[in-house]
Amino acid sequence: MPLTKAQLFGEIYPAFEYVALEDGVGLWEGLALDDYLQGEAYEKLKAKDERDDWRKITVRNLYECSSAISFHDAKGMRFHLGLYLF
């Protein structure tokens, strides 16, 4: 029997609850990489990345940084995967 939408969400949250970005590439850093930013501009965007709780990232941020997925490393992908599954 397939899961309902609510059941699926109920599985995603706990599966990624304690996943942190650590030193991985986040959304804003990915955007900075895509835009070939360096120095202060790069660091400013990187500082905007949520590093501890992927649930705090808004859907708007996800759209604003839509190219970031191309720049995620393994830690970045693991951290954002719960968000991408929604």
Side-chain angles (χ1 to χ4, degrees), residues 17-85:
E17 185 174 5
Y18 298 107
V19 176
L21 182 56
E22 299 171 2
D23 61 346
V25 177
L27 287 178
W28 293 102
E29 183 178 5
L31 182 64
L33 290 168
D34 189 39
D35 290 343
Y36 299 98
L37 298 179
Q38 296 178 353
E40 187 178 328
Y42 175 88
E43 293 300 327
K44 187 175 180 180
L45 276 183
K46 182 179 176 179
K48 291 176 65 171
D49 276 325
E50 172 61 41
R51 305 198 84 73
D52 298 314
D53 188 352
W54 60 271
R55 295 170 294 180
K56 292 181 181 177
I57 300 171
T58 66
V59 172
R60 181 181 179 141
N61 290 157
L62 191 62
Y63 284 114
E64 290 172 332
C65 303
S66 61
S67 63
I69 192 170
S70 301
F71 297 92
H72 288 320
D73 56 1
K75 290 179 181 179
M77 184 56 76
R78 182 186 65 205
F79 179 72
H80 293 93
L81 188 56
L83 183 63
Y84 290 130
L85 289 173

